[in-house]
Amino acid sequence: MVAFFLIILPLLTGLIAFFLKEEKVVKSFAFLSSLATLAVSILGLTLMKAEENLQFTAQWMQPIGSSFSLRLDGMGQLLCLLTAISYPLVFLGSWNASYKRPNNFFALMLLAQAGLMGVFLATDALVFYFFWELALIPMYFLSSQWGGERRIPVTFKFFIYTFVGSVLMLIGILYIQSKTVSHSFSLNAFYVVELSSKAQSWLFWLFFLAFAIKMPVFPFHTWQPDTYEQSPTPTTMILSGVMVKMGLLGLLRWLLPVFPIASYVWGDVVMSLAVAGIVYASLIAIRQDDIKRLVAYSSIAHIGLMCAAIFAENKSGMQGVMLQMFNHGINIIGLWIIVEIIERRFGTRKMSELGGLAQKAPVMAIFFVIIALANIALPLTNAFAGEFLMFNGLMNAKSNYYLWFTVLAGLGIILAAVYTLNMIRRIFYGEVNELTAVATDLKLNEKLALGIIVGLIFWMGVYPQVLLDVTDNFSQELVNKIDISHLFRKQ
Amino acid sequence: MNITQILFWFLSVVAIFSALMVITSKNPVYSVLWLIVTFFSISGHYILLNAQFLAIVNIIVYAGAIMVLFLFVIMLMNLNNETEPQKHRWLKMAGAVAGGCLLLVMVAALKDTDIKNQQAMVNEGNIGLIKNLGKELFTTYVVPFEISSILFLSAMVGAVVIGKKE
Amino acid sequence: MPINYYIFLSIALFSIGIVGVLTRRNAIIIFMCVELMLNAVNLMLVAFSKMHYKAALLAGDVNGTAGTDGQLFVFFIMVVAAAEVTVGLAIIVMMYRNIHSVDVNFLNRLKH
Amino acid sequence: MNALIISAILGVVMMFSGILLKQKTAVRNVAIGGIIILLLVNILEMGGTVFFKIDTRGMIAFDQFALLFNTIVFVSTLLYLLLSAKEIEKVGVNYADYFALIFFILCGITLVSSFKSLLILFLGIEIISIPLYILTGSDKRNLKSNEASLKYFLLGVFSTGLMLMGIALVYGARGTFLTVPDPLVTVVPNALLITGMSLLLFSMAFKVSAAPFHFWTPDVYDGAPTVFTSFMATIVKAAVFIAFIRLFDDAFEGLQPQWRLWIAVITAITLFVGNITAVFQQSVKRMLAYSSIAQAGFMLLSLYAMNTEAKEGLLIYAAAYCLATIGIFAVLAKMNDYTFDGFNGLAKREPLIAATLTILLLSLAGIPLTAGFLAKFYMLKATIATPNSLWLVIFAVLMAAVSVYYYFRVIQAMYFKEGNDATSTGFSLFFKGTMVLMASLVILLGLFPDLLLNWLYF
Amino acid sequence: MQNALQIVYLIPLLPLIGFLVNGLGRKHLSKSLISVIGSGVVLASFAMSIWVFMQVKGMTTPYVAHYFDFIKVGDLKIPFAFQVDQLSSLFLLIITGVGFLIHVYSTSYMHKEKQEHFGRYFSYLNLFVFSMLLLVMGANYVIMFIGWEGVGLCSYLLIGYWFKNTEYNKAANKAFIMNRIGDLAFLIAIFWIISRVGNVNFNDVFAVARGEVDLRKFTGTDITAITLLLFIGATGKSAQIPLYTWLPDAMAGPTPVSALIHAATMVTAGIYMIARSNVLYSMSSVTMDIVAYVGLATALLAATIALKQNDIKKVLAYSTVSQLGFMFLALGTGAYVAAVFHVMTHAFFKALLFLGSGSVIHAMSGEQDIRNMGGLSTKMKITFVTFLIGCIAIAGIPPFSGFFSKDAILLSAFEKSPVLYGIALFTALLTAFYMFRLLFLTFSGQFRGTAEQKHHLHESPVAITIPLIVLAVLSIIGGFVGIPEVFMNGGDRIGAFLAPVIKPQGGHTVSHSTEYILMGLSTTLVIVMIIAAWFKFRNFQRTEEKGLGKVLENKWYVDELYDKVIVQSMHQFGGFLKSVIEKSVIDGLVNGVGKAVNYGGRQLRLLQSGQVGSYILLMVLSIVIIFALQFFLRK
């Protein structure tokens, strides 16, 4: 039941929100709804842990072998929690921003949340695909209606790009379904389907393309900086904080377990792409002047690391990815909140036009520094444990080039320090200029949102075990599923 | 080489020649006339195949009604040879070549079918007589017959809609 | 008479009709060429009907009605042709009323 | 059978209603009433109550498939009339006759959806085509309309010639016009049969505007009055498709190796031409013409696959495509400016219309939760089940992605661009209601296709 | 009584609390209260450390306090645990002791700061002490790494403490990033260890290394790789070649910070780490050599640079680098104890020197260029005397502390090879020379500053002088914990104390006579150097440096080299990627598809010519083609 409510709650409230014209009303309505969702997801983690609560199945499209089935496994728990947490934060953080036609804005936001939840919960390929698109459409409308100057072409490119990926994935889904014994779309049927290694190979790429574009992995990332730059910041928060996790979840739930052989065969290629992406994105980030673009590229680098760790195919890597999926979301949302504040206050995102904010807005500066340092995985902040485990996973990967991957990915750490510290320096330190001289410090709601985020940062940083326990079983099962050593033993 | 064959060849030559004249003659009126000749020769073939009913209908309906209609229209617009400008030469050539190719491929396709040594029964076999056809038409084919009336109806309505002055 | 002769004859007429359609610009002539095509088809149908009749006879059913349907089809073709002619000529006349020409090359307001 | 006869009668009734009734609204209501009656009797026939028991000597067979399709057609026609009957009256003086012609066309559609004999197919196609020539040219003062009508006519009769040649050859090979010849007549795939089959294939391809026989489509759809474009682009096209699939399923199933490849090629070309050409159009009407070619390409997949899923899929596709396109055309007909810019800022002035239009466009683009997605889904599913046809599927979905491009141009214009208020006449409340109904139908069908398909199996 | 060890967690916890209190309350607490809290917590943990020290003395096995599992994945367990043994307790004393003095010093030195910044400063200092304690108390490499990065962060924050000054912030970034380079190596070493051992607890790792656990084993390459990587980490933190250039720039921070972080404690973390993993290092001679050579090279290079620096703090900074080099030399030659010993003494006298320089700068109202000083000895007696003591100590004149530790190092160098010894000695002489150059330029001769600087000159207040005095005393007597065997049997108490952690290698191979000769030699030469310096700089007039002098003044142009070769090229490359690869190649491809589709549409459109004739022609042609293919290709 929990699983069902996680979807239906935002869906219904989203539909209702269309009809609440008054800005204050719809704003608070959306906020309350997101809080309710959060409560539900926390329930799912604590009181209603029982399996029957976490599963939901309904008859649907029986003839073509599909059924509306959801399940809240470890990863699902984690990502739903992330989604549920980020929404209140986003609303709270951007409370002072005002939009024309607010009812549409918040309604679409909530619909997107429903879509995301669905993607994270679906255990039926068709349902998964449905929600995959359902999450995309509202995002597209949000970005190109409330976005920046070049929003229309940019977000449209984003849409087409991801759409191409997803339809290719649809072909893959259909093919596998036709190969399953029961001609069903259910996840378990997919796990046991017998595929020739040749078929696995091209199916692997069909699926991977969709996920790679979504994450995004180098070189399929070019839509991302533009979109992040052009979208309204709340949308960007969801896009970068939660939506990219769709791709990772796809890899973990729909790619590796279904095509273990292909994943093993192509693992090196994917890892090289991912690692190349880390260095590439970091180097570009160093040269950015626009804060949004900088954060966007840094996000590409982080995602690259996660992707690489996934294909390390060992438990340490997996757990690291789980942890990082959550923490990356929290951190980047924190960053966006401050970026949004800065943009709203000073009307610019150019670091060259800012500076000296630390004198005028010390609280903001402190929050930003903490979040930024968390973003570069300083120990005792949340990202450290995750990255530690991921690197450890890379180091113990089956690939022959594991050392290279680790070292190159490690360059990312250094470069991350470079651009992050420069960003801090150029925005907050130095003398004030006429633009920032009039700066004011954070408002209460912003303090609240950022305070929560910082709290999470330290909690997860000092005691990451909380999350690791949630996903422990899942990762273990996953690793067992994708373990193909028995194949080698045969020969 | 009996009389039937002679007739067959004669009619075929006439049909093809007149058909060629239809598409080559500049003046539309001539084309119409040549087309009528073609129809007559085809009717001859029908008679040869002992399909008298069709032969007659062909002459009455086609050569009679339809072609006269054409003739009227042409006269009404008094189109004569100078009123029809020529197509570009290469387009003409292309058209002719395309048609020729079509003829070639179809002949080549059909030249050795497994029915090539079958015969079409000429000047005997009475299925073509009005009696038989009528019986069939009003028993087996009555539904299509009625349907064709709907067709006529719609054509009539259409003609009215288009033709009526506003 | 061997059926091939009839097949080739009607195909020839048919192709001539097509050539006409391709080479002429006068809408009426084009239409006439189409009529020529239809007649070619008719001829072929009749020939086939007699062929099937003969085949049936050889197969041994005397006073069978095999092949009648072919000739009846020809009849229906004529019906349809007549209907088409009425409509077609009406359209051509309407066109002529408006642009005082029946040259299909002038039909180029709609393109791309 | 009910539908066939009733529709013919209704055609006559409409003819006279023009003379007897003076108000346009009365005529319109008669027409709408007539279509409702038609729908009811057809549903009754599905239930098993046949008013007219006529022995057609196996030339016509009203099976569940045909009847279900007829239902779809009548429902769409009903919605079509509800939305754009007013527009029909605007076209010309003899509006009653237009309704009459529409009913005759419906009669022809019932024929082609249920024929078992080439003769019936031929007659049905003609009964559909001849009124269409007229309707295309019905806006007599408009040169474009005339031109479209003449083009349509010339090309149409040409393709009829091809079709007849094909029929003649098939007859020569088989000695019968029935599409399901009795097993005694042994059919070896000889040259005669294959040639005839190919010619039929071409002429049908022409009727469904499949490349490279599609050339008439853009011009005719563009030139014809928008209301009638809407009708012929949706309902008629779907009907011909049903005829197409029936023909090749019944008559030429044994010859699949001979035609499957060509269908595949034609499908690919159609998808390519339709989608790519639509990208660059400036007028929404013309874009929709090309998009109808593109959609035809997708429907052709069902012919290619030719299995149960394909047939079910074709029904869903027909429904989805008709609903969506009719709705879009209905709105387009109310626009003063047919270019994309004509839609600028529609969302601000008419949020409801814009929303419904968006849903319909999404359906055409094949976005999930809409019937359009499910239709495409069925097609792909059917195709992927057939051996080594992956290239076609991938090509198809890539083209679908291209189609998103031009459908979304409209959405962008409506929502993200500022426009002046004078671009559209007002929308009546009734119109809005119908649009909402259509949109909800699209969504409903997209979520529960069984609602439709269960009719096939009871 | 074990209970001291049971509450050992208090030692890092107290500074953390101090950090939180000062950090959050910096706006509301009064300066005096902040100072009390800030220094008080450190004093408390100093007391704790002494207590712990007392207890540790007798222990043979380290005490490990396990609190909770920091990370637990599968069979990889990383506990959050503290380990207390002789080595760490010694460092605890140094950190908290010196730390406390510097806190006290700061209370007066930073008094001019605005209140909230004052609070910020002390919270940073406390945070630093906390991280440093974490570093030395961690029971496994990960906890050590946490402290390791923590101190890096604090140094970053404190270098950029005056954040309005862009140059300072750049210096801070430089410090952090260069440390990160080392940290990466450290991390990889940790992963390597995990992949071999399965966890990172010191005891388990060393047990495996010693081969006490049979199932898992290190190969030779493993050891070498791990030790080398750890060493690279150390070069980052302890400012060795090639990662030393951040330390001089780090002098941008307040002087007490330089004293605490960049002289006494943080920079010695590298030495601690290597001493901690001496088991591993002893197993890889390759690494040992590398460590020794790198250390020596750094010592020499830094010493040469220090000769020509004019900023009082820069001189001290380079001398720090040089001294650190000495320590690494010691480590490389296997004299871990000597290294640790030198860490201790160095902590005393270098802190003293820095604080002294701070007092001078304070008196000179911010002036740092020694060419503008001179003759201060009369004005500020205490500072002068303590500074002098510091100089003697660092120059290594018996019986001052520096002598003993440096002598131990030189001796072990000699044991390894006379060449090493020669260079090391030469460096030591340079040290004496530049330190006394500094001393004379600052305190002797005429005053060369501006008039009102002269007017302001005064002895610093008590809060500054007391730490100076204490440290001076320590610098004098600090050496007696490690008196060489030759003088006094069992004099090497520190070695005995550390024995459980660092296995003493057997007695010295050199005979006592040689040892005496070496000591005499070094001492005499040092005195000669000092005299030379006296004659050269007694009365100084500034001259334009040229030739080698200019190169030295510009630090061998190493910074410029790094900037050109690494920073600039990286920027170039990044720009290239941003503007060419990203825009044109990758995105170009993506957009190219769209453009191609558009173009195709434009061209394909033209097929729709509007001519019925051409339509039919195209249809017929395609029919012909299909027929042709069907019938002639099929056959």
Side-chain angles (χ1 to χ4, degrees), chain D residues 5 9 63 70 101 120 186 193 198 205 216 221 268 271 301 314 319 347 365 393 435 447:
Chain D
I5 291 170
I9 295 169
D63 47 21
N70 291 350
L101 289 173
I120 303 296
T186 57
L193 189 56
S198 316
W216 60 277
Y221 285 6
L271 283 165
L301 284 177
L314 190 57
V393 184
M435 285 297 286
L447 285 176

Side-chain angles (χ1 to χ4, degrees), chain C residues 4-22:
Chain C
N4 267 14
Y5 292 4
Y6 284 103
I7 294 177
F8 292 147
L9 173 57
S10 44
I11 288 179
L13 290 173
F14 191 77
S15 310
I16 292 170
I18 289 181
V19 172
V21 170
L22 289 173

Side-chain angles (χ1 to χ4, degrees), chain C residues 31 38 41 48-49 51-52 67 69-70 73 80 84 87-88 91 94-95 98 107-112, chain D residues 119 122 126 130 134 140 143 146-147 149 151 153 157 164-165 167-168 171-172 175 177 219 281 286 290:
Chain C
F31 190 19
L38 295 190
V41 173
F48 278 137
S49 82
M51 179 188 84
H52 289 303
D69 45 6
F73 201 101
V80 170
E84 277 181 348
V87 172
I91 291 173
M94 172 181 71
M95 193 73 207
N98 286 325
L107 308 178
N108 53 8
R109 278 166 209 74
L110 299 160
K111 63 171 103 166
H112 304 328
Chain D
L119 175 55
F122 171 59
E126 284 307 313
I130 288 176
I134 310 296
K140 284 187 264 177
L143 282 182
N146 300 345
E147 173 179 342
S149 138
K151 273 184 183 171
F153 175 74
V157 289
L164 285 171
M165 191 49 149
I167 291 176
Y171 174 71
F177 291 107
D219 296 359
Q281 296 306 319
R286 210 168 166 79
Y290 281 107

Side-chain angles (χ1 to χ4, degrees), chain A residues 157 219 221-222 280 283 287 297 359 366 376 378-379 388 391-392 396 413 421 429-430 461-462 464-465, chain E residues 26 70 72 76 78 149 153 163-164 166 169 173 176 180 184 191 195 570-571 573 575 582 586-587 591:
Chain A
K157 176 176 166 187
H221 63 279
T222 47
Y280 176 87
L283 281 172
R287 291 303 301 269
Y297 277 105
Q359 303 161 48
I366 290 164
I376 61 174
L378 206 74
F388 182 87
F391 274 108
N392 186 28
N396 297 301
I413 300 186
L421 296 186
Y429 297 160
V462 177
Q465 207 55 40
Chain E
R26 68 192 187 288
F70 179 52
K72 182 157 103 302
L76 166 63
I78 297 172
E149 287 252 323
L153 170 67
F163 55 74
K164 287 186 192 172
T166 311
N169 297 318
N173 288 4
F176 192 88
R180 269 257 155 161
L184 174 60
F191 298 133
S195 67
M570 188 178 75
H571 262 250
F573 188 50
E582 180 84 346
I586 298 178
D587 212 15
N591 298 337

Side-chain angles (χ1 to χ4, degrees), chain E residues 159-176:
Chain E
I159 295 167
Y161 168 75
W162 285 301
F163 55 74
K164 287 186 192 172
N165 183 326
T166 311
E167 282 317 302
Y168 290 4
N169 297 318
K170 288 210 171 121
N173 288 4
K174 185 176 178 183
F176 192 88

Side-chain angles (χ1 to χ4, degrees), chain E residues 481-548:
Chain E
V481 300
I483 303 165
E485 299 292 330
V486 284
F487 293 145
M488 163 180 163
N489 227 339
D492 184 4
R493 289 211 211 71
I494 180 163
F497 174 71
L498 290 175
V501 187
I502 302 166
K503 291 227 172 347
Q505 17 309 73
H508 294 304
T509 54
V510 287
S511 66
H512 287 183
S513 51
T514 18
E515 209 171 332
Y516 281 124
I517 296 166
L518 295 179
M519 286 184 194
L521 181 65
S522 63
T523 317
T524 40
L525 286 176
V526 163
I527 294 166
V528 171
M529 270 298 162
I530 293 171
I531 296 162
W534 163 254
F535 280 114
K536 196 165 185 325
F537 300 109
R538 181 182 37 182
N539 38 20
F540 164 90
Q541 57 277 35
R542 70 178 55 199
T543 55
E544 196 45 51
E545 292 293 348
K546 63 186 78 64
L548 184 60

